[in-house]
Amino acid sequence: MSADRRAELEANLADVRGRIAAAERAGGLESGSVQLVVVTKTWPASDVRLLAGLGITDVAENRDQEARPKQAECSDLGLRWHFVGQLQRNKARHVVAYADEVESVDRVELATALDRAASDAGRTIDVLLQVDLADPPQPHRGGVVPADVAALADHVSRCAALRLRGLMAVAPLGEDPRTAFARLAVVAADLRRDHPEASVLSAGMSHDLEEAVEAGATHVRVGTAVLGGRPPLG
Ligand SMILES: *Cc1c(COP(=O)(O)O)cnc(C)c1O
């Protein structure tokens, strides 16, 4: 069973790595310059273990209740854990205990809560600001509107236990990802002018990673194309 699953993940990973390599070539980028983050939400810790054995270094989760026990089971693997889901302030303490990077910071209050929690835990957490690319904005899906990115970035850069690393976004449904990611590239260029260290651009998922790399993504977050279709959430 596990051997079958390993073979399946290995084949899927070969395919995704091939797609990333082709996108790098198309963009004139150095091979290996785009980082693959595998989104393991809804999949068991045993899959995370297999992925680590297949050379994956970075995994992402979007729900604290699920991520916490999974990370605990996999704490021997030396993986980097990304948190990519909407986050309530009262979960900040939980999340900073296992996440190395929070990609979904979208408001000042959340940044402040993460900073306090990380400071108390004696940790420094990498942070990406999640940008809402929808037009009009869709606040219930998370994300800071482009016009408010600069102020939020200034706030995060003053948080001693947070390290501002860049931006994350999801292309809105019903729009060509190229036009959405083109808007994101402008926001990212503006941010780098004020905060040169914020050079990470996390964009692109299973169905639009090529468009994201074309627009300058440095990290792609891929779930389905590596692990298969997610079982419905119970
Ligand atoms: C689930 C998820 C992904 C991965 O999506 P796939 O379509 O399965 O590749 C990427 N980013 C975020 C924020 C997610 O929640």
Side-chain angles (χ1 to χ4, degrees):
M1 208 34 218
S2 168
D4 290 353
R5 182 61 168 154
R6 187 181 190 283
E8 182 184 0
L9 294 180
E10 188 170 28
N12 290 347
L13 268 180
D15 180 58
V16 167
R17 284 172 168 145
R19 287 174 60 192
I20 293 171
E24 287 169 340
R25 278 195 301 279
L29 301 171
E30 211 172 294
S31 162
S33 55
V34 174
Q35 171 76 46
L36 170 61
V37 179
V38 177
V39 183
T40 48
K41 66 187 183 199
T42 76
W43 297 100
S46 55
D47 280 350
V48 176
R49 194 162 286 280
L50 290 172
L51 289 168
L54 293 165
I56 290 301
T57 57
D58 287 66
V59 294
E61 288 284 330
N62 74 335
R63 296 201 314 155
D64 174 57
Q65 313 91 287
E66 180 186 344
R68 222 163 1 136
K70 210 184 285 184
Q71 190 276 339
E73 238 181 283
C74 296
S75 60
D76 59 311
L77 299 175
L79 292 167
R80 216 177 128 69
W81 290 76
H82 300 238
F83 191 87
V84 299
Q86 287 190 53
L87 186 54
Q88 302 300 317
R89 262 186 297 173
N90 60 10
K91 295 286 175 67
R93 277 175 201 284
H94 288 169
V95 170
V96 302
Y98 60 80
D100 301 289
E101 175 162 334
V102 178
E103 300 199 12
S104 45
V105 173
D106 60 359
R107 55 202 194 279
V108 165
E109 304 75 48
L110 175 59
T112 300
L114 287 167
D115 183 45
R116 287 209 186 105
S119 174
D120 290 349
R123 300 196 68 194
T124 305
I125 305 292
D126 284 346
V127 159
L128 305 185
L129 311 183
Q130 182 179 353
V131 181
D132 183 359
L133 292 176
D135 188 16
Q138 297 197 308
H140 60 283
R141 297 192 61 197
V144 57
V145 296
D148 294 340
V149 166
L152 182 56
D154 289 346
H155 176 79
V156 169
S157 69
R158 288 191 297 265
C159 291
L162 305 182
R163 198 183 293 119
L164 178 66
R165 298 288 289 121
L167 301 178
M168 181 274 260
V170 177
L173 291 171
E175 180 184 353
D176 183 337
R178 279 189 188 79
T179 56
F181 289 146
R183 291 200 298 284
L184 178 64
V186 173
V187 180
D190 287 348
L191 175 69
R192 282 175 206 177
R193 251 194 313 277
D194 292 341
H195 300 279
E197 73 284 7
S199 56
V200 170
L201 188 55
S202 171
M205 319 199 303
S206 291
H207 63 283
D208 59 10
L209 73 87
E210 286 84 359
E211 290 87 346
V213 171
E214 188 186 334
T218 61
H219 291 57
V220 294
R221 308 176 310 273
V222 180
T224 310
V226 171
L227 289 144
R230 281 182 288 277
L233 285 174

